[in-house]
Amino acid sequence: MAVPIPVDFRLESGECLPQRSLLARLHGPAGAPVVAVAGGISSGRFVHRTETNGLGWWSGAVGPRAPIDLHRLRVLAFDFAPGAEGLARPVTITTRDQARLLALALDHLDIPRLAAFVGCSYGGMIALAFGTLFPGRVGQLLVVSAAHRAHPLAVAWRGVQRRILELAEAAGRPEDGVALARQLAMTTYRTPDEFDARFDAAAPDRAGEAYAVCDYLISRGHAYRHHTTPARWISLSDSIDRHRIEPEAVAVPVTLVGFTSDRLTPIEDLRELAARLPLLFRFVEAPSLYGHDAFLKEDALVGDILRTALREITR
């Protein structure tokens, strides 16, 4: 569904969004309690398997009898603004702007209050922003692999990605820029231990030929080259780096989950967030081979946490 964005809506930067609607999708039975679900900047409204889009980006967590059970809960998932199509230049958009857009979607759908907001990575940042701006419109937050600020080293990595995208755009090769930036991003999502277990360091026959780990990254980048545009990636990557909230202002119960191997969102930042949240319900820190991507890979652990947090939700 397309949620109209009012003509007078302005981002915190003062800019207008180039598109006039926000795309969202409701999964699950009408009349059930509504849970918003948002993930990383590559995610969107297709969170669950659908008849038109195949597997969703988090089908392991959202579905009938899944941890976020579509037999008893209704899930609201949404595309982040700006949209992937037709964006000629980057837009300065914050996680607070994204939270305000979600509030517009709730108004449009006549949903006065979310039972919960489950946010992972960038979606977790938006959840925290939503909890500061609209605490009366959500029952609880479940925040996974997201903190109250962007870590400077992660800002540095994303800055290199944005410069790759800008250079490729200037060279007239935007899709190659997206592919190469995605390769670099994959090295930050995962851990040294995983790469060591999966790839050996056997050298190719000649200098300049790809090592096994490089073949993997090249294939992941190639698969992603049409998934987004440089302007959209730059906008959302910059949005991550601008993210700042005061934990004391989150006036909603929070379940917080972090992974000790996560280099993009270091566990020390989540420990600080947990210590400062006024209504911390539960803080789970766990090891994982998968680093920042653990919320997509550690199905059993994350599933148990989701079931525990959501089991008391009733109609």
Side-chain angles (χ1 to χ4, degrees), residues 51-290:
E51 67 281 0
T52 57
N53 201 56
L55 290 176
W57 64 265
W58 212 19
S59 291
V62 178
R65 294 176 295 277
I68 305 176
D69 186 356
L70 292 183
H71 282 322
R72 69 182 193 89
L73 299 172
R74 201 170 203 200
V75 165
L76 173 62
F78 52 96
D79 288 356
F80 302 128
E85 302 301 328
L87 191 64
R89 60 174 180 78
V91 174
T92 306
I93 185 169
T94 67
T95 52
R96 290 181 298 275
D97 290 325
Q98 301 281 15
R100 292 165 55 220
L101 288 166
L102 174 58
L104 288 178
L106 297 181
D107 292 341
H108 178 74
L109 296 168
D110 195 24
I111 300 171
R113 187 172 186 267
L114 293 167
F117 189 157
V118 181
C120 307
S121 188
Y122 184 57
M125 296 177 178
I126 296 171
L128 289 166
F130 193 89
T132 66
L133 294 176
F134 307 103
R137 300 199 68 173
V138 60
Q140 60 172 308
L141 305 179
L142 286 81
V143 176
V144 186
S145 301
H148 54 296
R149 64 153 191 165
H151 193 278
L153 182 56
V155 173
W157 284 326
R158 284 187 291 267
V160 175
Q161 293 166 29
R162 292 195 291 271
R163 290 191 289 278
I164 289 170
L165 292 163
E166 290 165 352
L167 184 63
E169 187 98 288
R173 300 173 62 182
E175 293 174 357
D176 290 336
V178 169
L180 188 57
R182 178 67 169 181
Q183 292 182 45
L184 176 57
M186 290 298 299
T187 68
T188 70
Y189 298 153
R190 301 297 180 87
T191 66
D193 288 344
E194 186 200 1
F195 273 51
D196 189 44
R198 290 179 63 180
F199 307 105
D200 63 39
D205 292 337
R206 295 177 179 82
E209 294 180 350
Y211 288 72
V213 66
C214 299
D215 282 332
Y216 163 74
L217 293 174
I218 290 167
S219 70
R220 300 314 302 150
H222 183 79
Y224 196 75
R225 61 202 305 264
H226 299 297
H227 186 84
T228 190
T229 63
R232 181 179 187 272
W233 188 331
I234 290 169
S235 300
L236 296 180
S237 169
D238 178 78
S239 181
I240 295 172
D241 292 343
R242 290 178 186 275
H243 172 69
R244 296 287 190 281
I245 61 103
E246 292 298 324
E248 294 81 3
V250 182
V252 182
V254 179
T255 295
L256 184 63
V257 183
F259 295 93
T260 55
S261 58
D262 188 343
R263 296 181 296 160
L264 280 179
T265 309
I267 195 65
E268 291 80 9
D269 282 3
L270 273 82
R271 289 169 182 160
E272 180 186 344
L273 173 59
R276 294 174 59 187
L277 285 169
L279 295 174
L280 180 67
F281 175 74
R282 183 185 183 194
F283 176 38
V284 178
E285 56 177 276
S288 175
L289 183 64
Y290 301 107

